[in-house]
Amino acid sequence: MLTLRQLAAAAIVPAFFVAGTFFAFSEPEAAAEPDAGTPTETAPDERGEPAAAEPADSPGAPAEAKPEKAGIPLTYTRLSIGKDGVIRYENADLNFENLGIHADELAYDANAQAARASGSVSIDMDAMRVVTDSVDYDQKTGSVSAKNVRGGADFFFFKGEEISAGTGGDATAVAIRDSEAYVGEPHWSSVSFGAGRIDYDSEEDWLHLGPSIFRVAGVPVLPLPPLSVPRIERPPVRIWANSGESSTPGFYLRTTTHLTIWDDYEPGLLLDFYERSGPLVGPALAYDTRGGNADSARWMFGDFQAGYINDTANREPDIYRNEIGGRRGFIEWTHKQEIDGLEISAAIHRWSDSEVTRHFRPDVYDANRNPDSHFEFVLPGDNYYVSALTRVHLNDYQSTQQRLPEIRFDLVPTEILNTGVRQRFSASYACLVEEDSDQYHLRRTNKDDRLESSRADFYYGLDAPIAFGDFATFTPVAGVRSTFYGNAVPDADDNYWRTVGQIGFDLQFCFSGTNGYRNETWGIDGLRHVCRPVFRYRYMPGVASQSSRIPEIDRDIYRDAPTILDLGDNRAVDTLYDEHIFRIGLENLFQTRDKSYGSKDLAEFNVYQDIRKTDRPVDDDTLSDNFAELVLKPASWVNFSLTHRMDVSDFSSKSIRASVRFTDGDVWGVTLSGRFLANDDLAYYGCDTHARQYTVRVDWRLNSYYQFYGDWRFDDEKNIFTDQYYGLRQRLGNSWNIEYYVRYRQDAGDESDFSFGVSLSLFAY
C-alpha cells in the first residue's frame, strides 16, 4: 500500500531532484532547433540505457554550453535555449526504472539553479500518479512546490491548492494546503476530510491535520479539531448501515462501525435504533494477526459482537410459546488460533431468547439458526491427535449435549512393524450433562429433567489391507470398544462397564474403461468410467442386553445418508445396537480430459443398500432404506446434485434433496432446489415428519454498477409462497455498496408480512 509520503515526498521530491541534477550537470550543446513535431531519436549509451540524442551545433549558442553526453533517459520533441540561458524541452518525458515524469515543458535556469515543469505535468511512480499544473524546484535549498495538485493510489486520494516539500532544509517534510483527502477515488458520493493544511513527517510517520471537516457525499457531517494520527494504509473506518421497516420493530436503523487504523485489530460499535423497541448498543471487535503470512507459527483471527436492548415493544411469545422479557441481548464470538502447532478454536453464541437476533440482527440469525458454543484445543502429532473439547449450554431454550470437558487421544491408522497390519486407537474421558429444553422434550430414564454422565471410552482396532493389483482390495477388520459409565441408571451412583466387539471386512473392486467420445459443445475430450463395487460387513453382537443402564446423551440422529457402519467411527456411543450388517454399494465416476487440470469429473453416481439384522427401535427392517447420490457437472455453467432415500418395501421416497445451478460467468446465476420429506420415523427423533418445499434463487449483474437478486420459497403442503425476497445492489462510485430490498412473507408467525430496507457499506481496500 502506498502512503502519503510515497504520494508526495517519494514522488515529487526525488523526481525533481533527479531532474534538477540532470539539468545542472547535463546542459546540452548549442543546437539547431529540430522541426516541430519531429521526435528526437534516442540510442543506448554504454550502460544500455537510452541516451538523449545529441543536437547539432547551433550558431550563436554560448560556447560554454557544450556538456559531455550523459545517459539520461530523456525524450522530447523540441529543444531551445533562450537568450537568458534557460534551456527548454517541449513534450518532455523523463523515465527511470520505476519513475516517470511528463511535462509539456521542462525548463532549467543554470544561473538561478532552478527547474520548472509546466503545462500538463504528471508524475508516475509504481501504482501511484500525481498531476499538477506546474512544479518548481530550487536546487540550492532542495525544496519543491507545486500548484493545483491532485494525486493518489489504492484507496487514498487527495487534492490541494499547493503542495510543498523540503522547505527549511527538511527533505522529509511535506505540506498540503487547502486540501481535501478522499477515502476511495474522488466522487460526489465519497467520504472525505477537508483541511486547511495537512503535514506529514516521515521521522514520526504521522499525519498532522489542521482543523478539518468530515464530509459524506460532499455534505459536512462533523467538524474535527486538529488531529495527529499514525500513517494508515487503508480506510480509517469500515461502515455498515441498514435501514427499513418491519412490523415487529417498526422503522429501524442498524449500524456497525469498525476503526481500521491498527493493522491487526479493528474495534467497533453496534448502534441501532428501533421505533417500537428503542436503541440497541454493543461493542464489536474484528482481529487478524496473520498479516498476510498464514505460515507463521503464531496467529489468530476472529470476530466479536454483542448487543443489548431494553425492549419497550409489545412482544409476542416465541416459537416455543415462552414469554419474552424486556431485557434482551446477544453475544457472538468466533475465534481461530495457532500457537506453535497447538490449534485453538472457539465459538460463543449467547442469546437472551430464541428470537432476539431474528428481531434485531437477522443477518446473524440467518447465518446460524441453531447456535452451538464450544472451546476446542487440538495438538497434532506425527500420527496422533490430542484434543480437549468443552461444549456449554448457554441458551435455556436449546438442547445441548454439554461436554465439561471431553479429553481425547486419537491414534490414526498406523502400520505395525512393516507387517501390513494397521492399528488405530482412541481414548476419551468426558463429563456429559444434558438438560431438558423447549427445543426438544427428550426421552428421560431418570426422575429429573437432567442427565449426567461421566464416561471413559476406549477403542482399539486392527485392519490389514490386501491389494490384488489394481483390481481389488480386501481389508479384514476387527475391533473392541469398552466404555465406563460413572453415573449409570436407574441408580446414578452405580458404575457400569460395557464392552462391545466387532469383526468384518471391506471389499472393493475397481474397473475402468475409456472411450474416445468427443463433444466440443460440452467440452468433452474422451471419457473414462471408473466403477467401484463395494462390499462391507460388520458383526457387533450383545449390545442390547447392556443398553438399559446407560444414560442416553450421545444419541443416534436422523441422516439423509447411510448409517455409520464401523464401531470405531460411531459417535452415538450411548445408543449402540446389535448389528449384523452386510452393505452393498456401487460407486461410479465419469471423467474427461481437461486442458487446465489434467482431468475433470463429469458425473458421479453412488447407490448403497444394507441387508441386516438389528434391534434399532425404528427403521429395523431386514432391508434398510436405499440411498442414492447423483452429481452432474457436464460443464462449468451447470451443476446438479441429488440425494434420495427410498423405502424398498414399497419403493416410496422418504426424503429427496435436489439442486441445480446455472451460471454465465459472473453475469448471472439461477439456482433451483427442492426438499421432500415423508418419514414417520422422524417423530422418534423429535423432528417434523413431512415437508415439500421448493426454492429459486437468482442473481443477475445488470452492469458494472447494478446487480439484481431474488429468493423465492414455496411450501407445497401449504400451497403458498412462504418467502419472497427482491433486492438490488448498487455500486456508488468506488466508495459505497448499497442494497435495496423488499420482502413479503406468509405464515411467518410474529414476523411482518411485508418489509423493506436499504443497506449501506463502505468499501474497504
Side-chain angles (χ1 to χ4, degrees):
M1 300 290 289
L2 298 173
T3 66
L4 184 61
R5 179 185 181 184
Q6 290 173 312
L7 297 176
I12 296 177
V13 176
F16 283 94
F17 178 80
V18 171
T21 304
F22 162 64
F23 293 135
F25 297 100
S26 301
E27 297 178 24
E29 300 177 8
E33 293 183 4
D35 292 337
T38 303
T40 301
E41 299 291 337
T42 62
D45 67 355
E46 63 274 15
R47 296 172 299 175
E49 297 178 347
E54 183 178 2
D57 291 340
S58 174
E64 62 272 20
K66 293 184 178 181
E68 297 181 358
K69 290 190 294 185
I72 301 299
L74 175 68
T75 61
Y76 51 87
T77 60
R78 184 180 180 88
L79 179 149
S80 64
I81 302 177
K83 295 181 179 180
D84 55 359
V86 176
I87 307 168
R88 292 179 174 84
Y89 299 85
E90 296 183 14
N91 295 321
D93 287 288
L94 186 62
N95 296 295
F96 296 92
E97 182 177 354
N98 61 347
L99 175 66
I101 304 172
H102 172 81
D104 290 347
E105 181 181 272
L106 285 177
Y108 178 68
D109 187 341
N111 297 324
Q113 293 186 316
R116 180 181 179 85
S118 59
S120 177
V121 182
S122 63
I123 304 170
D124 295 287
M125 185 175 183
D126 294 328
M128 174 271 301
R129 166 168 284 196
V130 175
V131 296
T132 180
D133 294 337
S134 64
V135 177
D136 292 292
Y137 171 69
D138 189 329
Q139 187 178 354
K140 292 180 292 185
T141 62
S143 62
V144 174
S145 62
K147 303 289 186 181
N148 191 22
V149 179
R150 304 173 307 282
D154 295 324
F155 81 94
F156 180 82
F157 295 83
F158 68 91
K159 67 178 182 180
E161 292 296 325
E162 182 181 2
I163 184 170
S164 60
T167 56
D170 186 357
T172 64
V174 181
I176 308 174
R177 295 176 180 84
D178 297 327
S179 59
E180 191 84 15
Y182 295 88
V183 178
E185 293 184 10
H187 187 264
W188 69 264
S189 64
S190 298
V191 173
S192 64
F193 296 85
R197 180 185 175 100
I198 299 177
D199 293 292
Y200 175 75
D201 191 326
S202 62
E203 293 183 0
E204 296 181 2
D205 204 21
W206 276 57
L207 291 167
H208 304 282
L209 281 73
S212 59
I213 297 177
F214 174 68
R215 297 187 177 98
V216 177
V219 178
V221 175
L222 182 67
L224 300 173
L227 296 174
S228 294
V229 296
R231 172 181 55 86
I232 57 176
E233 297 183 348
R234 53 179 173 169
V237 293
R238 180 159 55 91
I239 302 172
W240 173 86
N242 172 236
S243 180
E245 194 278 336
S246 182
S247 65
T248 303
F251 171 81
Y252 60 85
L253 174 64
R254 304 183 179 111
T255 66
T256 302
T257 305
H258 286 86
L259 290 177
T260 61
I261 59 177
W262 295 278
D263 291 336
D264 299 333
Y265 301 93
E266 298 180 1
L269 176 70
L270 278 65
L271 183 59
D272 301 353
F273 174 78
Y274 300 90
E275 179 185 6
R276 297 189 179 96
S277 299
L280 179 146
V281 65
L285 176 66
Y287 53 92
D288 189 344
T289 65
R290 291 173 294 183
N293 182 16
D295 296 330
S296 174
R298 296 192 175 194
W299 52 262
M300 66 177 181
F301 64 91
D303 187 81
F304 171 85
Q305 59 179 321
Y308 172 80
I309 184 171
N310 186 11
D311 190 356
T312 58
N314 295 324
R315 297 171 298 277
E316 299 289 336
D318 68 7
I319 193 173
Y320 307 112
R321 299 181 181 178
N322 294 323
E323 295 296 328
I324 297 176
R327 296 183 177 180
R328 310 178 69 185
F330 61 89
I331 298 174
E332 291 284 314
W333 179 48
T334 57
H335 176 82
K336 293 284 290 185
Q337 185 175 4
E338 182 172 322
I339 305 176
D340 298 327
L342 176 64
E343 301 171 3
I344 304 172
S345 62
I348 294 295
H349 306 283
R350 173 70 174 98
W351 298 357
S352 60
D353 55 81
S354 62
E355 310 293 318
V356 61
T357 57
R358 188 178 183 183
H359 288 163
F360 302 116
R361 286 283 170 152
D363 55 326
V364 174
Y365 177 78
D366 291 339
N368 187 10
R369 300 190 179 192
N370 194 22
D372 185 22
S373 300
H374 66 273
F375 296 88
E376 185 175 25
F377 300 83
V378 179
L379 182 64
D382 293 337
N383 62 344
Y384 66 88
Y385 292 88
V386 178
S387 62
L389 172 66
T390 298
R391 190 176 185 223
V392 293
H393 184 211
L394 298 181
N395 303 319
D396 294 338
Y397 60 87
Q398 191 177 26
S399 178
T400 303
Q401 291 82 28
Q402 299 181 75
R403 286 166 150 69
L404 305 172
E406 179 183 22
I407 301 172
R408 291 185 60 88
F409 173 84
D410 291 277
L411 177 70
V412 302
T414 306
E415 187 177 7
I416 303 175
L417 301 176
N418 298 319
T419 60
V421 178
R422 300 184 305 182
Q423 63 176 343
R424 59 177 291 192
F425 173 74
S426 65
S428 67
Y429 177 79
C431 295
L432 305 175
V433 176
E434 184 177 24
E435 299 173 332
D436 199 6
S437 68
D438 299 317
Q439 192 174 30
Y440 298 117
H441 295 286
L442 303 171
R443 306 178 308 281
R444 296 301 178 194
T445 53
N446 62 341
K447 61 183 179 180
D448 300 321
D449 289 335
R450 179 183 175 93
L451 280 179
E452 295 184 6
S453 176
S454 57
R455 186 186 71 202
D457 183 53
F458 307 90
Y459 176 79
Y460 183 77
L462 298 171
D463 62 48
I466 303 171
F468 298 91
D470 296 332
F471 168 70
T473 302
F474 177 75
T475 306
V477 174
V480 61
R481 189 164 199 164
S482 186
T483 309
F484 170 80
Y485 291 91
N487 303 83
V489 294
D491 189 346
D493 294 330
D494 286 349
N495 301 329
Y496 181 70
W497 277 96
R498 182 197 63 191
T499 301
V500 181
Q502 77 166 0
I503 57 173
F505 65 83
D506 295 337
L507 175 62
Q508 177 177 292
F509 295 91
C510 184
F511 306 97
S512 64
T514 59
N515 186 284
Y517 176 76
R518 299 172 62 89
N519 189 310
E520 294 184 2
T521 302
W522 292 92
I524 297 175
D525 183 11
L527 286 174
R528 177 170 61 188
H529 177 205
V530 180
C531 179
R532 294 186 295 264
V534 176
F535 304 91
R536 304 186 69 189
Y537 171 74
R538 293 294 187 275
Y539 178 47
M540 290 173 283
V543 181
S545 61
Q546 309 178 55
S547 61
S548 60
R549 302 193 60 194
I550 295 174
E552 295 183 1
I553 296 179
D554 283 342
R555 300 178 298 278
D556 194 18
I557 62 172
Y558 177 80
R559 293 160 46 90
D560 280 339
T563 57
I564 297 175
L565 198 61
D566 194 86
L567 179 63
D569 296 331
N570 199 334
R571 296 288 291 170
V573 182
D574 303 331
T575 55
L576 298 177
Y577 305 106
D578 286 354
E579 302 278 15
H580 202 166
I581 302 178
F582 182 65
R583 177 169 295 170
I584 302 172
L586 186 64
E587 301 174 350
N588 296 271
L589 179 64
F590 295 87
Q591 298 177 311
T592 189
R593 297 183 186 92
D594 185 84
K595 295 180 181 179
S596 303
Y597 303 101
S599 65
K600 66 178 181 180
D601 296 341
L602 295 176
E604 186 175 354
F605 176 66
N606 305 320
V607 59
Y608 304 97
Q609 178 66 56
D610 290 351
I611 304 170
R612 64 190 179 174
K613 181 180 180 181
T614 180
D615 65 343
R616 292 175 177 271
V618 295
D619 190 25
D620 59 348
D621 297 332
T622 301
L623 291 177
S624 73
D625 292 340
N626 180 273
F627 295 89
E629 304 169 345
L630 175 64
V631 176
L632 298 176
K633 296 182 289 185
S636 60
W637 49 268
V638 59
N639 193 321
F640 174 81
S641 64
L642 169 72
T643 61
H644 183 218
R645 179 171 180 168
M646 180 181 67
D647 188 341
V648 297
S649 64
D650 57 5
F651 299 101
S652 62
S653 295
K654 284 191 172 181
S655 68
I656 300 175
R657 289 181 184 267
S659 174
V660 60
R661 178 166 176 80
F662 301 94
T663 60
D664 181 9
D666 62 349
V667 177
W668 60 264
V670 177
T671 302
L672 310 174
S673 60
R675 172 71 165 126
F676 172 78
L677 185 64
N679 192 343
D680 292 332
D681 294 340
L682 285 173
Y684 177 81
Y685 299 97
C687 303
D688 293 334
T689 59
H690 290 77
R692 291 195 305 272
Q693 297 179 342
Y694 307 95
T695 302
V696 179
R697 293 186 176 91
V698 174
D699 53 271
W700 182 16
R701 183 169 59 84
L702 305 176
N703 52 43
S704 59
Y705 296 102
Y706 293 95
Q707 180 183 16
F708 168 80
Y709 61 97
D711 194 326
W712 299 268
R713 300 172 185 267
F714 182 77
D715 191 310
D716 190 44
E717 287 200 336
K718 298 178 181 178
N719 196 30
I720 58 173
F721 279 95
T722 57
D723 198 353
Q724 300 180 58
Y725 197 98
Y726 304 85
L728 181 68
R729 296 188 181 97
Q730 178 187 5
R731 183 185 180 100
L732 192 59
N734 286 318
S735 299
W736 299 98
N737 184 44
I738 306 176
E739 295 190 28
Y740 314 88
Y741 63 87
V742 175
R743 190 173 192 179
Y744 179 70
R745 288 179 286 190
Q746 299 182 72
D747 194 30
D750 64 338
E751 293 294 310
S752 173
D753 289 341
F754 177 80
S755 60
F756 65 90
V758 178
S759 294
L760 183 71
S761 59
L762 178 67
F763 285 129
Y765 292 83

